[in-house]
Amino acid sequence: MFSNTSVSSLKKLMVALSVPLAMAYGNVTQAAEPLKIAYSDWPGFVAWQVAIDKGWFKEAGLNVKFEWFDYGASMDAFTAGKVDAVFVTNGDALVVGSGGAKNTMILITDYSNGNDMIIGKPGVKSIKDLKGKKVGTEVGIVDHLLLLDALQKNGMKESDITIVNTKINDTPQALAAGDLTAVGTFEPSASQALKLVAGSKPIYTSAQSPGLIYDVLAVNPASLSNRKAEWTKLTPIWAKVVAYINDPKTQADAVKIMSARDGTTPQEYTKFLKGTRLLNVDEGKAAYVKGDGLTSLYGSTANADAFNVKNAIYKTPQDINKYIDPLLYK
């Protein structure tokens, strides 16, 4: 997952990570202060707005402050020590950590379930139709990862196509220009491309690779150690959030809350929600079981780590075990 604003922020993040961290954690971990959590406009993160509006944190006796950012800016805020935690993809948790902003993934909110996609121009019916063709996507981000996954599952290699580095924000116009056979992109750019290029269609989506892109809560280890009892209160709250969103009786109210936070209509937001597979507590616990495949957060994160190193997002493979703690699922 990524919001449009996240893409341009990735490079900005890398720049931010190259400077000494202003990790004044003596301030953010004081017990009298609320837990500060940065969130952004991915549905799995916006879901917490339900708990905020319903007053569920106060009911649980948890003093927490959610701070709204663009996706990239949320990582910047975590890197600068302005918040205790941030919602990111598991791959981006590694990116942040590789730059020195240590973090621990303690809760899974969801995995991308169709919001990321490869869109072929009119007449393109499958991934195999891309052989020898030009495909536009932003190199080094999750839709590049999705494209490689699609190629592999269709018996193809990256060298079978020509990847044209294309900003996600520019993918609709790039596909419309006619030089590309397909683009790899995500919502809302994906919907814009489909609308702009009549006859274009998704030929592969993240729904065909569950667990390739997990979204998690990454917490500063010092805050987690000092305020463990408070962090563990998030689990039952998240259970209520998922239940409220998934219950047909309350879903409309949940979507109304989330769309208001996101600045869209409930109708538009419902579509984005379908492309996000929210994970309840039992499903999250299952994903925290060690394994090599994408059903495990460990396997998915190792896959993201290899992708990040291959694409020089960082040079040294990360120690996956140090990034993952099943604390909230015990």
Side-chain angles (χ1 to χ4, degrees):
M1 63 69 57
F2 281 84
S3 66
N4 275 356
T5 51
S6 70
V7 181
S8 61
S9 299
L10 184 56
K11 290 184 177 179
K12 185 171 68 175
L13 169 68
M14 297 308 294
V15 172
L17 294 177
S18 68
V19 300
L21 303 178
M23 302 294 285
Y25 260 89
N27 292 329
V28 297
T29 57
Q30 290 177 1
E33 295 291 323
L35 295 178
K36 295 180 181 178
I37 301 175
Y39 72 133
S40 54
D41 66 355
W42 177 252
F45 308 155
V46 180
W48 289 94
Q49 192 66 40
V50 174
I52 296 170
D53 284 18
K54 294 295 180 183
W56 292 342
F57 293 105
K58 187 175 181 180
E59 286 180 9
L62 183 59
N63 186 14
V64 59
K65 180 181 180 183
F66 276 69
E67 299 190 10
W68 183 256
F69 294 93
D70 288 340
Y71 181 72
S74 72
M75 292 189 286
D76 291 341
F78 180 78
T79 298
K82 295 179 179 178
V83 294
D84 296 277
V86 60
F87 287 105
V88 289
T89 69
N90 54 331
D92 280 339
L94 300 180
V95 174
V96 171
S98 70
K102 293 181 179 179
N103 63 85
T104 306
M105 295 181 258
I106 62 171
L107 186 146
I108 298 176
T109 59
D110 65 274
Y111 58 76
S112 180
N113 192 39
N115 279 347
D116 295 81
M117 61 187 78
I118 310 301
I119 299 174
K121 70 179 185 180
V124 175
K125 299 178 180 178
S126 70
I127 291 296
K128 291 183 178 178
D129 288 345
L130 303 182
K131 190 166 185 177
K133 307 295 185 182
K134 294 181 180 178
V135 180
T137 195
E138 191 158 350
V139 174
I141 72 163
V142 289
D143 287 288
H144 184 190
L145 175 63
L146 179 69
L147 177 60
L148 299 185
D149 182 74
L151 292 172
Q152 182 184 29
K153 288 185 176 177
N154 283 273
M156 297 169 65
K157 299 174 294 186
E158 188 169 6
S159 57
D160 287 330
I161 64 173
T162 299
I163 294 180
V164 179
N165 192 17
T166 307
K167 293 288 186 183
I168 292 298
N169 290 0
D170 298 335
T171 50
Q173 293 75 21
L175 187 64
D179 192 39
L180 301 176
T181 301
V183 293
T185 189
F186 48 78
E187 296 290 11
S189 289
S191 289
Q192 293 167 3
L194 292 168
K195 185 177 180 180
L196 187 62
V197 183
S200 62
K201 68 176 185 179
I203 54 175
Y204 194 85
T205 80
S206 52
Q208 293 168 264
S209 195
L212 181 69
I213 308 166
Y214 281 110
D215 298 295
V216 301
L217 177 64
V219 180
N220 178 278
S223 178
L224 181 61
S225 176
N226 295 335
R227 307 179 69 172
K228 186 176 295 183
E230 294 168 84
W231 287 112
T232 58
K233 291 182 179 180
L234 288 177
T235 311
I237 297 173
W238 179 245
K240 290 177 67 174
V241 168
V242 175
Y244 197 79
I245 294 173
N246 288 337
D247 188 338
K249 297 179 181 177
T250 53
Q251 188 176 74
D253 184 49
V255 170
K256 182 180 178 182
I257 291 170
M258 291 186 287
S259 63
R261 170 64 275 186
D262 203 46
T264 61
T265 67
Q267 291 77 17
E268 290 172 326
Y269 203 85
T270 298
K271 182 177 64 176
F272 298 153
L273 188 61
K274 289 180 179 177
T276 308
R277 178 66 167 82
L278 298 177
L279 299 180
N280 63 32
V281 174
D282 287 341
E283 292 168 330
K285 184 176 183 179
Y288 266 81
V289 175
K290 285 189 176 182
D292 295 329
L294 298 181
T295 57
S296 168
L297 179 61
Y298 290 86
S300 175
T301 305
N303 186 57
D305 184 53
F307 171 80
N308 289 340
V309 172
K310 180 181 178 182
N311 288 281
I313 296 174
Y314 51 75
K315 295 181 180 179
T316 306
Q318 302 296 292
D319 185 345
I320 303 303
N321 291 321
K322 291 184 177 179
Y323 279 87
I324 301 174
D325 188 336
L327 169 68
L328 268 61
Y329 296 103
K330 292 180 178 177

